[in-house]
Structure formats: C-alpha cells, structure tokens
Amino acid sequence: GSRIREGDCAVLKRGDVFKAVPVLRRRKIIFEKQWFYLDNAIGHIYGTTFEVTNGGNLQPKQEVEETATETKEAGTDNRNIVDDGKSQKLTHDDIKALKDKGIKGQEIVQQLIENSTTFRDKTEFAQDKYIKKKKKKYEAIITIVKPSTRILSTMYYAREPGKINHLRYDTLAQMLTLGNIRAGNKMIVMETCAGLVLGAVMERMGGYGSIIQMYPGGGPVRAATSCFGFPKPFFDNLHEFPLSKVHSLLSGTFSTETLPSDPEEYALVEEESNGLTDEKQASLQETEEEPTTEGAMEINQTEEQETVDINAEDVEFKENKEKENKENVREKQIKQWERRKKLMEAAALLREKNADGLIVASKFHPTPLLSLLEFVAPSRPFVVYCQYKEPLLECYTKLRERGGVINLKLSETWLRNYQVLPDRSHPKLTMSGGGGYLLSGTTVVLDKGKCDSNNLETLKTEEPSPKRCKVQDLHC
Amino acid sequence: MSFVEYGDTIKDGDTAIVFLGHESMFPVKVQHGTVTQTKYGVIRHSTDLIGKKYGSKVTCSKGGWVFILHPTPELWTMNLPHRTQILYSTDISIITMMLELKPGSIVCESGTGSGSLSHALIRTVAPTGHLYTVEFHQQRAEKAREEFREHGLEHLVTVTNQDVCKNGFGVSNIADAVFLDIPSPWEAIGHAKSALKAEGGRICSFSPCIEQVQRTCLAMEEYGFTEINTLEILLRVYNVRTISLQIPDLGKAAEDNSSAGFDSSNPSNQGSPCAVLQQGTVQFKSGVPLREMVGHTGYLTFATKS
C-alpha cells in the first residue's frame, strides 16, 4: 500500500465525516472537535486508524480484543425505565476530570456504563446503541485515507455543497458512466465545481488521453483537483481554454494576440509571477456567493496564509534593486509567452472538432453551453448537469430544434442508505432532491439541410419537433 | 472499433449499434456481404456501413433512415442478448465509483452472467488493468469469452469457469476490487478477501433481497471488512412535455383573466415559461415522470479491506 508522505493531501475520516488536509509537520489540525498533529502519521500506510493522545499526537490504534462481558444482563422492554435525569451517577465535572487525567476514551465509556443505573434494565439493542453513542463521543479515533473520487465527492457534498452546485456523488458517478469516461479519450469539461468534476474525469482517464477544460473568468478553479494528489504527468495533457473565446473560435476570428491585454488576464499573469502554483491560485480566485463558515479544506486556509507571506515578501521585493525588477518583467514575459502557447495548443485541439465527449456541470445556464457540442465528434456521449430541472427542459427543447443529437434523456437518481443489523435492518435517510439533474445524449452527424424526410414513421418514434408540440402528451 | 477505443469509421468485423428511433436500437456485427433487415428496409453492410463515419445517417432500401452508433458499454447494456438478469448503467455507475476503479485497477467479478457489468469494468480499467471474471455456468462462460474476443477485449479479461463459493477467483492478493452478484455472496467473502491485495481494497456485493444483504454484512464483519455500507440507487427518468392546462371560468370577462396572474404582457412575467393561449389555457414545459419506473433492482453493499 502507499504510505503517507509529507506534502501529500490526505483525507481524515471519522465515522462518515471526511476532511481533506495537507500533511505537514508541526501543524495543528482541528477535526471533529479534536486537535492533533500529523507528524506521527507520516510513513504509515493509508487506511491506518490512529488514536489521538493527550499531546495531540497520533498513535496507531491497537486492535483490542473486545472482552465479552460475562453474562450480559439486559431487560426486555422499557416499561420500568423512568427518565428522571438521575440515571447517570457521574457528574459533568467528574467526566471532565477523567478526561483531564488523560484517561482513555474506552475507559471513560466503561465508567459511564458502570455508573448508569438504568443500563442493565435496557434491552440489548438499547445497550448497544448507548455504547455506540458514548464511544463516538469519547473515543478519539481518526482514520487517514487516500483521496479518491468516492471520498472527495462524498466530502464535498456533505461539507460544501454550494461549491459544487449541489452535485451529489451518485449523480457524479452517473456522469462518468454516461459520458463513457476512460483512458485515451479527448474530453471537453466545463465545470464550476471547484475542480471536483475535472478531478473525477482525470482519475478515470488515468493520465491517458487529453482534457480541455473550458473556464469562465480569469482561470480554471482547481482547488478540489489538487486534493486528488495526481502525479505530475497527469497534467501534461490537461489544457484550458477561456469560455469567452469560444465564440471567436467558432466564427474563426480567434487570435491569441488580444489576450495579455485583457485586464483580468493581465492581473492573472501578475499574480503568477508571485511564484504561486496553478492550484494555489485557483483557490484564491474562488469566489463564493454564500459565505462559508468553516472551509472544508484546510488547504485553502494555509494557501491564503502562504500567499500573504509571499505578498509581504513581494513588498520587500519592490523596495529592492531594479535589477530584480527587470528580471521580474522578463519572467512575466516568459510566463505570458507560455500561456499564449498553451492557449494556442488548446485552440488547435478544439478546432479539430473531434472530441470524444462533453461534460458540463456549472452554475451557468446550460443552454448557451450547447455550442460546445460543435467541438464534439459524431457518435459520442455528452452529459449536462444542472442543479435545477427547468433549465434542462429548455436545453432539451433547444437540442431538438438544433438536431445532431439522439437518445436524449433527462434523469435524476435517488440514493437510499440502509442500516443493516441483525433484526434491526431498515432504510436510513432518503436523499432526494438536491442531487441535481442530468441531460444526456449522443451526438450524430448534423444534417446540413434540416431533415425533410419522407420517413414519417421515424418522426413518430422520435420526440416531436417544437412545432408539433401543440398536441398534448405526445409519446416522446 | 473496440469497446475501449473510439474509431471514426465503421470497419469490417465491428460491432455497431443501429439506432432506429427513441429507445429502439439493436446491435449488429458488421460483415462484408451481409444484409440487415430493419422496419425501414434493408441495410447492405458493404455499401451502407463499411467506410462510413460512426454517427452517420444511413438510408435504408425503403427510403427510411437509421443512425449507426459507435458501441459503448452503456449502449451494449441496453442491447445485449440476455442470458441472465443484468445490471443496468445506474447501478454500474455507483459500483464503479464506490469501488474506486480507474485505469490500471485489477478487478475480480462473479458471476459473469451476460457481461453487462464486465464490459463497463473493462472499459474503466483499460489499458493497463485486468478483469478476472468467474462464471460457474459453462455455456455462459464460453459465450462471454466469445463476446469479449469479438469486442477486442480479450487481452483485458480472463474468464474462469468454476464455482466462486467453492474455488474462489483463481487469483490471490492481486485485486484492488471485488464484485459479487451471486445468490449466496456470503459464501464467497472469504475468497474475496484472499483475492484482494494484502494492503487492502474494496468489495461490493449486489443482492435483490434484504436477507441476503444481512448474511453478507455478517460475513463481511466476520472477515474483518470495515466501512460496511449498504445502499440502493434509483433512476428517475423524465419525459419533456408541453402541458396545457385550462383556466377555469369563474364567470369573469375574458380580459379580466389577466388579473388572475396569467398576464403574459406583464413585464414581471416576461420570460416565464407559461404562455396564455386564446382558448383560456396556460401552456408550460414540464418534466413528467414516466408512468412506470424501476422501483428496485438490488441492494449494493460496499466494504473496505484494510
């Protein structure tokens, strides 16, 4: 198995709660009301479970043989259990004292059980539940796992759904399958999901093939992408292209000459000369309409701190000799030239109009994004995500008018989790709504002359064209 | 053409999908000199298919036309010959993600069945991964082998004809993930554990009945699997329709109807999807759920070996 290394992005897990953190020495981490340092975790295998000791250190949890308590006493029902609030003989202060002494969580739980007057009268199931609840509270255990689409999409949906347009993880799974994402594809991805969808696509492509990410504004946001910890080569064939240039590219008026003079682009170039990496920049550019109280990603917080430092250095820089200033300018020019070169590459890839698929998951209205289908080869899948159903209804209608697509499907998935225990199995919580909707289909060769086919039968089996929509409830 | 690589043009020996219209398609094996009958007439492979671009419209003998599509695991799932009950793309998608499959993954599967999931798994783990699939029914195993060969996948998959509950997967300590779709998965959990890599991996079991799930969960716990989690995923498909609803006549004059909140000329209502028609009806677009939908396929139980 792979080992936890310094500088990795790891995911902390406690129960069903996840949190992505960078692995750094001597850095205090706060997770689920516990604080600790990750120093001792370095070198251990991913998937290891640790106990948090008193000084905030981690030590691998020893497998404890559950000592079966002899002759378990249990009641059959709760007819004689009265809630008088006095069943627990330990006071708050007693428990706090135990904790301060550094007594292990397991022992505290044992004490609580021994000092509960009603415990023995509870049914076996209720006793189980009681122990589980107390363990959760007093046992300081965390597992460190390797990031994956499964884990990061679950984490984002739970912690920061606003940042990913409420794209639930089962919906993301659908997108990857419906889009036939696999090694060797040439994919177009347009997303504003913090780079989570991009990361998911990259994981499925395993570094084979190419991706062109269409981005709005000054640059692509890849905060979540950086959590995956992809190896460097994965980024060799990742291109980006500004959405604002799509129209000019399609109409053939596109040129890169206009680029660096764009004020926002210029600002970006300037920022880059601060020596920030792409990913770090992305997290800085992230603007969120709704203020998030606690970022799921500690990573972002550190980055911002680091940036502040760099900026402070930058001020010193400016006070420094002109020589360095000149170097800065030259560096800037090199950066600009590189950016332009990358842009040209992306434009060339798009111009071939032979992409193997299109994935859209953004905060924008999806209909205008349909012009991206121009870049996709025939007989390829496309998937459009939207948090709401209505824009996709319009999208569907527009696609029908445009033609060049078949097999259109508007869908949604529901996910239901189950508790499975002997004699206690039942559905947990139903998740519905809020997972978003998908519009998927397949591209075909676009008829230049709109089909005036004598093939009425086919027309009947196809969805009606908008003109024929007056007939209610046509079979489509 | 291959199921793991897109090709631009239709070639002799390809498996292509003939798309006739909504939810009406079938697979065809492209061969020189062969003809395929459709309700729109005959398709002659040598002239109508070979050398044409995938995604083209092909005109049949009666003047009607069809589209020819490049095969994908998803299209195959919708069109394959059933030898057993199969898994559909909705379940397949969550299985793929929750098992953390990607290029290079080594996967064990049992039973192979009709190969619906197998094709999707191979697609995901190619070009460097491998699928070891076990099927105890000899003819089905043979048929699956043949299909994989026909689809250009034989280098990515090994089909073994044996009973997974008795003899396991025939490999040990090499798999990143194991998938079980058999009547008694709890009998194969031990074999699954030994097939998985020493450093760990993921497991999934698919069962239609909750009793099967319970026994499987107990077995998983017994063998030290963690993160045991059972879920069910349901697909809801919507038809896009334009709906007209009549405005009730409350005895008001027609022009007063506008004050009932259906004023299309009112600026605040601009761009609203509702349109008032002359006959006292309102039109709007709606996503209408299908009258019947799949309510249950099976429970998916996932767990981690760590």
Side-chain angles (χ1 to χ4, degrees):
Chain A
S2 58
R3 297 189 176 272
I4 302 167
R5 289 167 317 170
E6 199 177 352
D8 277 3
C9 172
V11 177
L12 309 175
K13 174 182 185 294
R14 189 182 181 209
D16 301 331
V17 185
F18 293 106
K19 181 175 188 170
V21 293
V23 180
L24 296 168
R25 287 187 192 274
R26 299 316 304 148
R27 215 172 128 251
K28 194 172 180 175
I29 300 230
I30 296 167
F31 174 55
E32 288 285 273
K33 295 184 187 153
Q34 309 172 85
W35 61 269
F36 47 86
Y37 296 93
L38 290 175
D39 300 48
N40 292 352
I42 294 168
H44 282 282
I45 291 173
Y46 275 106
T48 309
T49 301
F50 297 90
E51 264 178 299
V52 182
T53 64
N54 248 19
N57 288 316
L58 297 178
Q59 56 181 46
K61 190 174 186 297
Q62 307 302 326
E63 277 305 318
V64 196
E65 279 299 316
E66 291 282 327
T67 43
T69 39
E70 327 81 50
T71 56
K72 264 194 179 166
E73 267 186 274
T76 45
D77 57 44
N78 59 10
R79 74 183 72 192
N80 296 319
I81 295 180
V82 184
D83 181 11
D84 55 4
K86 290 180 195 155
S87 56
Q88 183 52 254
K89 294 286 171 253
L90 290 179
T91 63
H92 254 295
D93 295 340
D94 294 341
I95 297 169
K96 195 174 175 315
L98 287 176
K99 275 208 239 173
D100 290 344
K101 262 192 249 171
I103 302 248
K104 276 224 167 106
Q106 237 174 327
E107 284 166 37
I108 296 178
V109 175
Q110 202 50 45
Q111 295 254 10
L112 285 168
I113 291 170
E114 280 164 21
N115 286 290
S116 163
T117 52
T118 49
F119 186 81
R120 272 172 299 138
D121 302 330
K122 288 178 193 275
T123 63
E124 212 177 314
F125 296 153
Q127 288 181 355
D128 252 10
K129 209 166 161 181
Y130 180 89
I131 294 170
K132 272 210 180 104
K133 216 163 90 182
K134 296 301 172 199
K135 267 192 175 169
K136 203 179 155 168
K137 193 166 171 181
Y138 294 103
E139 285 198 351
I141 294 173
I142 59 146
T143 307
I144 300 184
V145 292
K146 208 175 170 52
S148 65
T149 302
R150 166 177 76 102
I151 286 162
L152 291 174
S153 58
T154 310
M155 178 188 84
Y156 259 99
Y157 188 73
R159 290 186 91 101
E160 296 197 284
K163 281 218 168 96
I164 55 166
N165 306 300
H166 294 259
L167 170 71
R168 209 202 296 128
Y169 46 95
D170 54 312
T171 312
L172 175 60
Q174 294 287 313
M175 292 177 78
L176 298 168
T177 296
L178 291 171
N180 194 20
I181 312 296
R182 64 177 174 203
N185 278 6
K186 171 177 172 181
M187 291 300 305
I188 300 175
V189 176
M190 160 56 207
E191 64 122 279
T192 59
C193 296
L196 178 71
V197 175
L198 175 71
V201 170
M202 284 170 77
E203 187 185 81
R204 283 285 169 93
M205 288 175 60
Y208 302 91
S210 57
I211 304 173
I212 305 130
Q213 183 183 12
M214 315 301 284
Y215 63 86
V221 176
R222 293 180 185 162
T225 319
S226 61
C227 293
F228 282 83
F230 291 125
K232 269 232 165 350
F234 275 44
F235 293 92
D236 292 347
N237 283 318
L238 171 60
H239 307 268
E240 56 263 4
F241 191 83
L243 264 183
S244 56
K245 303 283 173 211
V246 167
H247 186 77
S248 65
L249 189 67
L250 284 170
S251 62
T253 58
F254 171 79
S255 96
T256 55
E257 293 309 311
T258 56
L259 277 172
S261 57
D262 283 3
E264 57 177 7
E265 303 261 337
Y266 197 76
L268 194 77
V269 173
E270 220 169 28
E271 245 179 318
E272 265 190 348
S273 68
N274 285 340
L276 285 173
T277 62
D278 268 347
E279 291 97 315
K280 283 183 180 164
Q281 218 175 22
S283 69
L284 288 179
Q285 282 167 3
E286 218 168 328
T287 49
E288 187 60 52
E289 288 94 323
E290 42 203 281
T292 43
T293 41
E294 188 215 353
M297 322 304 279
E298 287 233 342
I299 287 181
N300 298 357
Q301 292 169 16
T302 43
E303 278 170 9
E304 277 169 47
Q305 283 165 13
E306 278 178 52
T307 322
V308 171
D309 293 349
I310 292 166
N311 282 339
E313 278 172 32
D314 214 40
V315 172
E316 276 178 45
F317 243 37
K318 287 203 169 78
E319 289 164 1
N320 258 336
K321 299 175 195 81
E322 278 182 24
K323 184 177 72 180
E324 285 180 5
N325 252 342
K326 269 183 194 153
E327 252 173 47
N328 234 352
V329 169
R330 202 172 60 213
E331 212 174 280
K332 210 180 276 185
Q333 279 172 338
I334 290 169
K335 277 254 157 52
Q336 270 185 31
W337 181 78
E338 275 174 5
R339 275 176 60 77
R340 207 177 297 175
K341 191 169 139 233
K342 281 197 76 170
L343 193 76
M344 291 284 283
E345 278 171 23
L349 282 172
L350 289 169
R351 273 201 200 97
E352 292 171 347
K353 297 196 173 182
N354 65 352
D356 293 322
L358 169 68
I359 298 283
V360 175
S362 78
K363 61 184 176 191
F364 299 106
H365 198 294
T367 305
L369 293 168
L370 295 177
S371 43
L372 295 176
L373 280 173
E374 301 265 338
F375 299 121
V376 181
S379 196
R380 298 293 186 270
F382 65 91
V383 190
V384 181
Y385 167 81
C386 189
Q387 194 186 335
Y388 310 99
K389 204 196 308 180
E390 290 74 10
L392 291 180
L393 296 176
E394 190 189 320
C395 228
Y396 182 101
T397 311
K398 284 278 184 301
L399 275 172
R400 281 253 155 268
E401 286 171 21
R402 171 190 178 271
V405 293
I406 52 168
N407 223 1
L408 280 184
K409 200 166 178 184
L410 176 59
S411 66
E412 174 196 18
T413 46
W414 283 4
L415 192 67
R416 195 165 207 185
N417 279 287
Y418 286 82
Q419 168 181 300
V420 180
L421 290 168
D423 300 327
R424 283 161 290 165
S425 300
H426 60 74
K428 272 196 228 170
L429 69 164
T430 301
M431 291 167 62
S432 68
Y437 300 85
L438 295 177
L439 178 61
S440 60
T442 307
T443 57
V444 288
V445 174
L446 188 54
D447 261 5
K448 285 293 167 278
K450 268 298 266 185
C451 70
D452 217 24
S453 167
N454 48 357
N455 189 356
L456 282 174
E457 238 190 306
T458 305
L459 274 178
K460 270 180 211 158
T461 53
E462 292 267 330
E463 280 82 348
S465 66
K467 275 179 228 124
R468 294 155 39 102
C469 270
K470 287 201 177 70
V471 196
Q472 281 173 51
D473 237 32
L474 253 176
H475 167 73
C476 16
Chain B
M1 180 292 305
S2 140
F3 271 69
V4 289
E5 212 177 343
Y6 281 119
D8 282 339
T9 52
I10 305 164
K11 292 185 182 66
D12 190 22
D14 280 6
T15 299
I17 307 289
V18 179
F19 183 92
L20 295 116
H22 181 70
E23 299 275 307
S24 160
M25 358 172 196
F26 60 87
V28 62
K29 191 167 163 45
V30 181
Q31 275 174 309
H32 268 297
T34 309
V35 292
T36 299
Q37 298 285 349
T38 75
K39 59 179 178 183
Y40 304 129
V42 170
I43 302 172
R44 288 185 175 73
H45 291 207
S46 305
T47 52
D48 297 339
L49 298 182
I50 294 172
K52 287 255 174 70
K53 251 179 124 77
Y54 274 109
S56 320
K57 197 181 257 188
V58 171
T59 308
C60 309
S61 59
K62 290 184 193 165
W65 38 259
V66 296
F67 285 106
I68 307 294
L69 300 182
H70 195 291
T72 67
E74 285 60 54
L75 287 172
W76 182 246
T77 289
M78 290 162 86
N79 294 291
L80 56 82
H82 284 224
R83 300 183 285 271
T84 54
Q85 176 65 267
I86 63 161
L87 278 169
Y88 289 93
S89 297
T90 313
D91 285 306
I92 289 172
S93 67
I94 197 96
I95 290 165
T96 310
M97 184 163 101
M98 290 297 180
L99 287 180
E100 303 190 335
L101 302 182
K102 50 185 187 272
S105 297
I106 309 287
V107 194
C108 291
E109 177 202 30
S110 188
T112 314
S114 310
S116 167
L117 175 70
S118 314
H119 278 80
L121 295 176
I122 295 168
R123 173 264 317 275
T124 304
V125 305
T128 47
H130 201 85
L131 173 68
Y132 294 89
T133 184
V134 176
E135 170 63 53
F136 66 0
H137 188 284
Q138 200 194 329
Q139 276 171 305
R140 284 204 291 258
E142 212 36 67
K143 197 84 193 84
R145 261 190 216 115
E146 204 179 304
E147 242 165 39
F148 294 138
R149 209 174 14 245
E150 225 169 74
H151 295 164
L153 306 173
E154 54 192 327
H155 59 296
L156 296 162
V157 54
T158 307
V159 185
T160 312
N161 174 214
Q162 64 186 36
D163 182 352
V164 74
C165 296
K166 289 198 180 74
N167 313 318
F169 292 95
V171 293
S172 63
N173 288 337
I174 65 163
D176 296 288
V178 172
F179 176 82
L180 293 169
D181 179 5
I182 51 174
S184 52
W186 57 90
E187 291 176 3
I189 299 296
H191 295 299
K193 192 179 178 177
S194 52
L196 286 165
K197 283 180 178 162
E199 61 262 31
R202 295 274 293 164
I203 185 172
C204 174
S205 168
F206 175 94
S207 299
C209 307
I210 196 75
E211 292 82 1
Q212 293 168 299
V213 174
Q214 282 199 284
R215 298 179 77 163
T216 307
C217 284
L218 282 175
M220 283 178 177
E221 206 152 356
E222 212 175 297
Y223 280 100
F225 281 92
T226 56
E227 281 193 285
I228 302 169
N229 175 28
T230 301
L231 57 83
E232 167 181 46
I233 185 166
L234 292 175
L235 179 72
R236 282 176 63 87
V237 178
Y238 297 96
N239 280 330
V240 180
R241 300 268 168 82
T242 302
I243 308 285
S244 307
L245 288 182
Q246 277 194 323
I247 298 169
D249 179 10
L250 301 180
K252 282 200 224 166
E255 60 267 22
D256 280 0
N257 266 341
S258 59
S259 60
F262 295 123
D263 188 3
S264 52
S265 63
N266 177 344
S268 70
N269 229 350
Q270 283 288 308
S272 100
C274 301
V276 181
L277 298 178
Q278 296 299 331
Q279 320 89 331
T281 60
V282 180
Q283 269 203 343
F284 60 93
K285 279 226 170 301
S286 176
V288 184
L290 305 189
R291 210 185 317 218
E292 260 195 5
M293 62 173 269
V294 177
H296 179 70
T297 52
Y299 300 105
L300 290 162
T301 303
F302 295 93
T304 304
K305 173 189 175 181
S306 50

